[in-house]
Amino acid sequence: MDLTSTLERVAERARRHLTEGHVAGYIPALARVDPSRFGIAVVSVDGQVWTAGDARMPFSIQSISKVFTLTLALGKVGQSLWERIGREPSGSAFNSIVQLEREGGIPRNPFINAGAIVVTDVLLDGRPPRTTIDEILGFVRRRADDPTVAIDDEVARSESETGHRNYSLAHFLASFGRLRNPVDDALSVYFHQCALSMNCVQLARAGLFLAAGGRDPLTGEQVVAAERARRINALMLTCGHYDASGDVAFRIGLPGKSGVGGGILAVVPKRAAIAVWSPGLNANGNSHAGTIALELLADEMGWSVF
Amino acid sequence: MDLTSTLERVAERARRHLTEGHVAGYIPALARVDPSRFGIAVVSVDGQVWTAGDARMPFSIQSISKVFTLTLALGKVGQSLWERIGREPSGSAFNSIVQLEREGGIPRNPFINAGAIVVTDVLLDGRPPRTTIDEILGFVRRRADDPTVAIDDEVARSESETGHRNYSLAHFLASFGRLRNPVDDALSVYFHQCALSMNCVQLARAGLFLAAGGRDPLTGEQVVAAERARRINALMLTCGHYDASGDVAFRIGLPGKSGVGGGILAVVPKRAAIAVWSPGLNANGNSHAGTIALELLADEMGWSVF
Amino acid sequence: MDLTSTLERVAERARRHLTEGHVAGYIPALARVDPSRFGIAVVSVDGQVWTAGDARMPFSIQSISKVFTLTLALGKVGQSLWERIGREPSGSAFNSIVQLEREGGIPRNPFINAGAIVVTDVLLDGRPPRTTIDEILGFVRRRADDPTVAIDDEVARSESETGHRNYSLAHFLASFGRLRNPVDDALSVYFHQCALSMNCVQLARAGLFLAAGGRDPLTGEQVVAAERARRINALMLTCGHYDASGDVAFRIGLPGKSGVGGGILAVVPKRAAIAVWSPGLNANGNSHAGTIALELLADEMGWSVF
Amino acid sequence: MDLTSTLERVAERARRHLTEGHVAGYIPALARVDPSRFGIAVVSVDGQVWTAGDARMPFSIQSISKVFTLTLALGKVGQSLWERIGREPSGSAFNSIVQLEREGGIPRNPFINAGAIVVTDVLLDGRPPRTTIDEILGFVRRRADDPTVAIDDEVARSESETGHRNYSLAHFLASFGRLRNPVDDALSVYFHQCALSMNCVQLARAGLFLAAGGRDPLTGEQVVAAERARRINALMLTCGHYDASGDVAFRIGLPGKSGVGGGILAVVPKRAAIAVWSPGLNANGNSHAGTIALELLADEMGWSVF
């Protein structure tokens, strides 16, 4: 199997849509990113790597980091995590805070912001934010098999300064007694994990264990149990693309998680992990050209879990 | 592959939970069903059939019929169906009518009642309800390869008499101009499709085309295009179990559609279709013992799309 | 006290705003009304009548009828009415059906449509719709001291044909077991009461008992107890103008009830009843020029309950 | 007029209900208050003072302070305040944060917490919190004609430490760009105003200008224009008792504002101001015995604006 020409073709067609997306404006450090960037990387479970475009240019992975912190938290507390977070799609951004209120401060799933903040609170476990941030960074570096993965402190600071909505959510959770660590600690970790800077090759490599039954197929390390990897994939499929999760499942049919930095990590069970990046977003906050590229690639390769 | 002993084992374990569910009480004709019934059938894409328990006893398929009417409607109007119905999970029963209002009468997906009523309206297309009911019945009989599949008129009448919530939804849709046929016609079709009476073997057989790329693997008939079958599966996975769709995707990892009659149709892409029936429901309105059985079977067989 | 010149001045100033409103379009029989009409009448508790403009031209009183049916229902079942209907503002039209669901089918107050339909159900009490319609008509004629008040059957029929939203609400109530009579009977009464045709003089006269401690000051009949009249006034103040009730209380400070026909009935406790009519509505569904006229009149006369 | 025996009678009857209420538990400094306390004071526009019970025992006025900060803010920025805050009842606590989101961060009215925080932001106007707190304290002392009125710093600190819900609201407002001062400044002022400690006599005296056309009838100072006083009364009537505002208007018929400390300030236009205090709250968060006392007093005196 050689995906080189396939990726070039996909990239060429997706790039035609670059101008239709809009770069996220609410985090100043992200708003400055060049909207004409496009990169894609595929890493197969047998270790082959194919790329096209800006696949080696780092970007802010933002919400994609929630996949890694969820994996870490499940490793720490196991199934008991689900006493504090649900596993259902939230229906819509609009409803999330209503649901949070109706449902006693139990976030719908670990990929909406409220849920990810609870995951962060689980990871903190009474320790200083810096220790937890280092733990997350270390985990992602091991998954990417690359010690150069870093956190962009300017982005983290920028998020903190403009993060009123996240402060609101965290205090809302705290008002229900759902956080065990100080709000500021949980948010400090959260803003730093979102500021992880990775390129497409690193990101696809880091997600490879999800395509291989929870085991890193290149190092042999069993990151999580096979059953758990399947379940993380299920959550990515049902909840990984904000309010467009159903539509992405419908059109692409692969588990995936997007971030407002324009990145998407997708998983082809038993075969490969894909990372695509293009900063312009569609109306649902997912990478516009990235989503198109994933759809073209999945279609061409016949990659669908269905 | 011989599933006989597997199914017996699954049935034996699932039956221990029979008393924990509650038979749907709001439709009198359904409330009289014996709660101790349990049946399961698996039909493989190469035509083998395995069963356990009451797999040949007919039950009311209720919302599972939405899979068949969706398939028919897509065949009639193709992608244009999605101008009238969305493809996203609704978040919760609670929200559906709010979302309907906020979103101008466009139901979230074809598996919530409002969406299924719009599908019915598409099928009617100006014709008499009886013609449309006959068309649906004919389609399901062909899919089940069994001309004895019938509609239980008493159940249909019972639903009509107690169906105030569905009347409310249909008039709500009509108030947004979203129905092109009279409310009473759309509901007449809807109540009759829900009253389809099938047994597990018939139901699994009828859903087999979804496991086989849209083609009935036993007759060779291409029911829908392969891509369309995948997309129906995606909708079943993200929206097929009411407010527990995310949780079922997480625990079982197979596309499925449940009905308040206690039936569930599940699809194992490329391998088999499964139908399970047990009338007692859990808090989310899905068959309690049926869900447990599916989880046991999927786990034992390693059947997960993830 | 002579209000003749005051009313002329108010009418002259309010008429300047006639073109800013929009006639309700959703009921065909109402959409044909001449938008340049404006009438106002004041009837004092000592029986004086002052008018300006089209004060003798009949119009469809629509939701203003809810004041009369509420009065009748309280007379029939007394305080027990409040077990079936609340007394709180609904917050917004948007929320009403959500609240209805959250609150088990108990409408927020008797002036939102759902509440008025429950009031109608109370009045029906197992009798034929026609009997109840006649009872309402008879009551309004006595209150107006005018046997020529009539129901416009064309408007009633027009409402029925386009009343999907009200059918939806009524079936929604029925699904919670909140209606004791058939949905069609309750709606038949409801559509007919809304189609009551009155002019400003009749309407102000009919509301006079609310300004006089529940007693018709001209005939001496005690229509309702003084305490009950005060409470109906309180409901008009807090809930009488749809989502603008708070704003109208703020700007005008008088109990009032508006209708989409462009009429408003307002009460000046111990002094007078006012009826104003102008078909053009503002964004909240209240008569645009009518609201302005009421504000000018209340301001000029120092008529505020506060 | 001598209300001495009337108040004794009212107090005696209201005290029978003392054990039915529940002291607010979420602010530790409030939770320690003796639930058997009951005080009432009436100050007439001609300066007479009648009391019963613990009318001279200070309590935390909490949300009643919103009446005073609203008055101050209207004095500073006049009608332009209403560009930042609405004047409608919110329907229910449940809805407020949804409405806030739907309505772009414009709180429904100045008496819900979000609205009061915006009022605080208006008062801050770039100055230090302490300056604004002193301004509020000075205003309330002048209104009470008593320089000993003070802020209970322990209560203010207690509110800050447990005020996650208010932090959440303030950050939510900030995320919409609706606060011009730092969140922490606005909340510092807010927590201090809520911690104002007053007794019934002081509180009734402080509210007297609202009963007298905006003019302090004893000092002659015109605090606000008569029209503005009427409008503040209108807001108190429609929005002053949380989700029970409609019910209180219905049962009592007087403008009023309650606080979770168990106090209520009520206004009898042209006659008197009433303050009642009893720490046990009913299900809506209003003083249980206090509401009963107000209803008895208003009924006995025939005091209703309707």
Side-chain angles (χ1 to χ4, degrees):
Chain A
M1 181 168 79
D2 183 356
L3 293 181
T4 312
S5 63
T6 301
L7 288 189
E8 284 304 337
R9 209 161 43 240
V10 162
E12 196 269 324
R13 288 180 60 191
R15 276 202 191 94
R16 295 176 203 164
H17 300 274
L18 281 178
T19 57
E20 297 162 11
H22 298 280
V23 174
Y26 67 95
I27 304 172
L30 292 186
R32 289 194 299 271
V33 174
D34 177 358
S36 69
R37 295 295 176 185
F38 177 90
I40 188 165
V42 177
V43 180
S44 67
V45 293
D46 57 4
Q48 298 185 75
V49 179
W50 300 276
T51 67
D54 306 309
R56 305 260 177 199
M57 180 168 294
F59 58 91
S60 191
I61 71 166
Q62 295 290 318
S63 289
I64 303 171
S65 64
K66 295 169 183 171
V67 175
F68 301 116
T69 53
L70 171 64
T71 304
L72 266 176
L74 283 169
K76 263 186 202 292
V77 301
Q79 290 297 102
S80 73
L81 182 70
W82 307 116
E83 294 160 17
R84 298 178 63 185
I85 312 176
R87 299 179 294 214
E88 290 300 323
S90 68
S92 81
F94 157 71
N95 286 306
S96 57
I97 205 160
V98 194
Q99 289 174 334
L100 208 50
E101 184 155 9
R102 278 177 57 84
E103 297 169 10
I106 306 284
R108 268 299 169 110
N109 66 63
F111 293 154
I112 57 173
N113 287 13
I117 291 168
V118 171
V119 168
T120 306
D121 185 66
V122 166
L123 292 180
L124 269 167
D125 195 24
R127 301 175 304 166
R130 176 48 60 189
T131 308
T132 310
I133 294 165
D134 287 345
E135 180 183 41
I136 295 169
L137 182 59
F139 177 72
V140 173
R141 283 173 170 170
R142 280 198 307 284
R143 294 286 65 74
D145 201 13
D146 188 337
T148 70
V149 169
I151 286 170
D152 185 327
D153 284 326
E154 189 200 343
V155 170
R157 204 163 39 242
S158 185
E159 304 221 34
S160 172
E161 282 162 9
T162 59
H164 283 299
R165 188 59 80 98
N166 287 318
Y167 275 101
S168 179
L169 282 171
H171 281 290
F172 202 74
L173 289 165
S175 77
F176 281 99
R178 297 295 177 189
L179 295 184
R180 297 172 188 173
N181 298 274
V183 161
D184 285 346
D185 286 7
L187 288 176
S188 173
V189 174
Y190 182 72
F191 291 140
H192 279 85
Q193 79 178 57
C194 287
L196 271 163
S197 186
M198 299 174 80
N199 64 40
C200 288
V201 174
Q202 292 166 333
L203 185 58
R205 175 68 184 84
L208 197 58
F209 72 102
L210 291 171
R215 184 169 161 279
D216 187 321
L218 307 184
T219 68
E221 183 187 351
Q222 189 74 35
V223 183
V224 289
E227 182 192 70
R228 191 157 284 164
R230 282 201 301 270
R231 293 179 160 191
I232 294 172
N233 287 342
L235 283 166
M236 292 171 79
L237 191 99
T238 54
C239 314
H241 283 81
Y242 309 109
D243 307 345
S245 299
D247 193 59
V248 168
F250 181 90
R251 286 164 55 200
I252 301 178
L254 293 176
K257 182 74 203 81
S258 68
V260 291
I264 305 176
L265 169 64
V267 174
V268 192
K270 300 198 175 70
R271 296 176 180 263
I274 311 167
V276 62
W277 170 57
S278 180
L281 306 179
N282 61 25
N284 291 108
N286 301 308
S287 174
H288 183 66
T291 303
I292 290 168
L294 270 184
E295 188 171 4
L296 292 169
L297 178 61
D299 188 51
E300 182 146 341
M301 300 301 295
W303 282 347
S304 161
V305 300
F306 303 111
Chain B
M1 182 168 78
D2 183 355
L3 293 181
T4 311
S5 63
T6 302
L7 287 189
E8 284 304 337
R9 210 160 41 239
V10 161
E12 196 268 324
R13 289 180 60 191
R15 276 202 191 94
R16 295 177 201 164
H17 300 274
L18 281 177
T19 57
E20 298 162 11
H22 297 279
V23 174
Y26 66 95
I27 304 172
L30 291 186
R32 289 194 296 271
V33 174
D34 177 357
S36 70
R37 294 296 175 185
F38 176 90
I40 188 165
V42 176
V43 180
S44 68
V45 293
D46 57 5
Q48 297 184 76
V49 179
W50 300 275
T51 67
D54 306 310
R56 306 261 176 199
M57 180 169 293
F59 59 90
S60 191
I61 71 166
Q62 295 291 317
S63 289
I64 304 172
S65 65
K66 295 168 183 173
V67 175
F68 302 116
T69 53
L70 172 64
T71 304
L72 266 177
L74 283 169
K76 264 187 201 293
V77 302
Q79 290 296 103
S80 73
L81 182 70
W82 307 116
E83 295 161 16
R84 297 179 64 186
I85 311 175
R87 299 178 294 214
E88 290 299 325
S90 68
S92 82
F94 157 71
N95 287 307
S96 57
I97 205 160
V98 194
Q99 288 174 335
L100 209 50
E101 184 155 9
R102 279 176 57 83
E103 298 170 9
I106 307 285
R108 268 296 169 112
N109 66 64
F111 293 155
I112 57 173
N113 288 13
I117 292 168
V118 171
V119 168
T120 306
D121 185 67
V122 167
L123 292 180
L124 270 167
D125 195 24
R127 301 176 305 168
R130 176 48 60 190
T131 309
T132 310
I133 293 166
D134 287 344
E135 180 182 40
I136 295 169
L137 181 59
F139 177 72
V140 173
R141 283 174 170 169
R142 279 197 308 283
R143 294 287 63 75
D145 202 13
D146 188 336
T148 70
V149 170
I151 286 170
D152 184 329
D153 284 327
E154 190 200 343
V155 170
R157 204 164 40 243
S158 185
E159 305 221 35
S160 173
E161 282 161 9
T162 59
H164 284 299
R165 187 60 79 97
N166 287 317
Y167 276 100
S168 181
L169 282 171
H171 281 290
F172 203 75
L173 289 164
S175 77
F176 281 99
R178 297 294 177 190
L179 296 184
R180 297 172 188 173
N181 299 274
V183 160
D184 285 346
D185 286 8
L187 288 176
S188 173
V189 175
Y190 181 72
F191 291 139
H192 280 84
Q193 79 179 56
C194 287
L196 270 162
S197 185
M198 299 175 79
N199 64 40
C200 288
V201 175
Q202 292 167 332
L203 185 57
R205 175 68 185 84
L208 197 59
F209 73 101
L210 291 171
R215 183 169 162 276
D216 187 320
L218 306 184
T219 67
E221 183 187 351
Q222 189 74 35
V223 183
V224 289
E227 181 192 70
R228 190 158 283 164
R230 281 201 300 271
R231 291 179 161 191
I232 294 171
N233 286 342
L235 282 164
M236 290 171 80
L237 191 99
T238 55
C239 315
H241 282 80
Y242 309 110
D243 307 344
S245 299
D247 193 59
V248 168
F250 181 90
R251 286 166 53 200
I252 301 178
L254 293 177
K257 182 73 202 82
S258 68
V260 292
I264 306 175
L265 169 64
V267 174
V268 192
K270 301 197 175 72
R271 293 177 181 262
I274 310 167
V276 62
W277 169 58
S278 180
L281 307 180
N282 61 24
N284 291 108
N286 301 308
S287 174
H288 182 66
T291 303
I292 289 168
L294 270 184
E295 188 171 6
L296 291 169
L297 179 60
D299 188 52
E300 182 146 341
M301 301 301 295
W303 282 347
S304 160
V305 301
F306 302 112
Chain C
M1 181 169 79
D2 184 356
L3 293 182
T4 311
S5 64
T6 301
L7 287 189
E8 284 303 337
R9 208 160 44 238
V10 162
E12 196 268 324
R13 289 180 60 191
R15 275 201 192 95
R16 295 176 202 164
H17 300 274
L18 281 178
T19 57
E20 298 161 10
H22 297 280
V23 174
Y26 67 94
I27 304 172
L30 291 185
R32 288 194 299 271
V33 174
D34 178 357
S36 69
R37 295 296 176 186
F38 177 90
I40 188 166
V42 177
V43 180
S44 67
V45 292
D46 57 4
Q48 298 184 76
V49 178
W50 300 276
T51 68
D54 306 310
R56 305 260 177 201
M57 179 169 293
F59 58 91
S60 192
I61 70 166
Q62 295 291 318
S63 289
I64 304 173
S65 64
K66 295 169 183 171
V67 175
F68 302 116
T69 53
L70 171 64
T71 304
L72 266 176
L74 283 170
K76 263 186 202 293
V77 302
Q79 289 297 102
S80 73
L81 182 69
W82 307 116
E83 294 160 16
R84 298 178 63 186
I85 312 175
R87 299 179 294 214
E88 290 300 323
S90 68
S92 81
F94 157 70
N95 287 306
S96 56
I97 205 160
V98 195
Q99 288 175 335
L100 208 51
E101 184 155 10
R102 278 176 57 84
E103 297 169 11
I106 307 284
R108 269 298 170 109
N109 66 64
F111 293 154
I112 57 174
N113 287 14
I117 291 167
V118 171
V119 168
T120 306
D121 185 65
V122 167
L123 292 180
L124 269 167
D125 195 24
R127 301 175 304 166
R130 176 49 60 190
T131 308
T132 310
I133 294 166
D134 287 346
E135 180 183 41
I136 295 169
L137 181 60
F139 177 72
V140 173
R141 282 175 170 168
R142 280 198 307 284
R143 293 286 65 73
D145 202 13
D146 188 336
T148 70
V149 170
I151 286 169
D152 184 328
D153 284 327
E154 189 201 343
V155 170
R157 204 163 39 242
S158 185
E159 304 220 35
S160 172
E161 282 161 8
T162 60
H164 284 300
R165 188 60 79 99
N166 286 318
Y167 276 101
S168 179
L169 282 170
H171 280 291
F172 202 75
L173 289 164
S175 76
F176 281 98
R178 298 295 177 189
L179 295 185
R180 297 172 188 172
N181 299 274
V183 160
D184 285 347
D185 286 7
L187 288 176
S188 173
V189 174
Y190 181 72
F191 291 140
H192 279 85
Q193 79 179 57
C194 287
L196 270 162
S197 185
M198 299 175 79
N199 64 39
C200 288
V201 174
Q202 292 166 333
L203 184 58
R205 174 68 185 84
L208 197 59
F209 73 102
L210 291 171
R215 184 170 161 276
D216 187 322
L218 306 185
T219 67
E221 183 187 352
Q222 189 73 36
V223 183
V224 288
E227 181 191 71
R228 191 158 283 165
R230 282 201 299 270
R231 291 178 162 192
I232 295 171
N233 287 341
L235 283 166
M236 293 170 78
L237 192 100
T238 54
C239 314
H241 283 80
Y242 310 110
D243 307 345
S245 298
D247 193 58
V248 168
F250 181 89
R251 285 164 55 200
I252 301 179
L254 293 176
K257 182 73 203 82
S258 68
V260 292
I264 306 174
L265 170 63
V267 174
V268 192
K270 300 200 176 67
R271 294 175 180 264
I274 310 167
V276 62
W277 170 58
S278 180
L281 307 180
N282 60 25
N284 291 107
N286 300 308
S287 174
H288 182 66
T291 303
I292 290 169
L294 270 184
E295 187 172 7
L296 291 169
L297 178 60
D299 187 52
E300 183 147 340
M301 299 301 295
W303 281 347
S304 161
V305 301
F306 302 111
Chain D
M1 182 168 77
D2 184 356
L3 293 181
T4 311
S5 62
T6 302
L7 287 190
E8 285 303 337
R9 209 160 43 239
V10 162
E12 196 268 324
R13 290 180 58 191
R15 275 202 193 94
R16 295 177 202 164
H17 300 274
L18 281 177
T19 57
E20 298 161 11
H22 297 280
V23 173
Y26 66 94
I27 304 172
L30 291 186
R32 289 194 298 271
V33 174
D34 177 357
S36 69
R37 295 295 176 185
F38 177 89
I40 188 165
V42 177
V43 179
S44 68
V45 293
D46 56 5
Q48 296 184 76
V49 179
W50 300 276
T51 68
D54 306 309
R56 306 261 176 198
M57 180 169 293
F59 59 90
S60 191
I61 70 166
Q62 294 292 316
S63 289
I64 305 172
S65 64
K66 294 168 183 172
V67 175
F68 301 117
T69 53
L70 171 64
T71 304
L72 266 177
L74 284 169
K76 262 186 202 294
V77 302
Q79 289 297 102
S80 72
L81 182 69
W82 306 116
E83 295 161 15
R84 298 180 63 187
I85 312 175
R87 298 178 295 214
E88 290 299 324
S90 67
S92 80
F94 158 70
N95 287 306
S96 56
I97 206 161
V98 195
Q99 288 175 335
L100 209 51
E101 184 155 10
R102 279 177 58 83
E103 297 170 11
I106 306 285
R108 268 297 170 109
N109 66 65
F111 293 154
I112 56 173
N113 288 14
I117 292 168
V118 171
V119 167
T120 305
D121 186 66
V122 166
L123 292 180
L124 270 167
D125 195 24
R127 301 176 304 168
R130 176 49 59 189
T131 308
T132 310
I133 294 166
D134 287 345
E135 181 183 39
I136 295 169
L137 181 59
F139 178 71
V140 173
R141 284 174 169 169
R142 278 197 308 284
R143 294 287 63 75
D145 202 13
D146 188 335
T148 70
V149 169
I151 286 170
D152 185 327
D153 283 327
E154 190 201 344
V155 170
R157 204 163 40 242
S158 185
E159 305 221 35
S160 172
E161 282 161 8
T162 59
H164 284 300
R165 187 61 79 98
N166 287 316
Y167 276 101
S168 180
L169 282 171
H171 280 290
F172 202 74
L173 289 164
S175 76
F176 282 99
R178 297 296 177 189
L179 296 185
R180 297 172 188 172
N181 300 274
V183 160
D184 286 346
D185 286 7
L187 287 176
S188 173
V189 173
Y190 181 72
F191 291 139
H192 280 85
Q193 80 178 55
C194 287
L196 270 161
S197 185
M198 300 176 77
N199 65 39
C200 288
V201 175
Q202 292 166 332
L203 185 56
R205 175 68 185 84
L208 198 58
F209 73 101
L210 291 170
R215 184 169 161 276
D216 186 321
L218 307 184
T219 67
E221 183 187 351
Q222 189 74 34
V223 182
V224 289
E227 181 192 70
R228 190 158 283 163
R230 281 201 300 271
R231 291 178 162 193
I232 294 171
N233 287 341
L235 282 166
M236 291 170 79
L237 191 99
T238 54
C239 314
H241 283 80
Y242 310 110
D243 306 346
S245 299
D247 193 57
V248 168
F250 181 89
R251 286 165 54 199
I252 301 179
L254 293 177
K257 181 74 203 82
S258 67
V260 291
I264 306 174
L265 169 64
V267 174
V268 193
K270 300 199 175 71
R271 294 177 181 262
I274 310 167
V276 61
W277 169 59
S278 180
L281 307 180
N282 61 25
N284 291 109
N286 301 307
S287 174
H288 182 66
T291 303
I292 289 169
L294 270 183
E295 187 171 6
L296 291 169
L297 178 61
D299 187 51
E300 182 146 342
M301 301 300 296
W303 281 348
S304 160
V305 302
F306 302 114

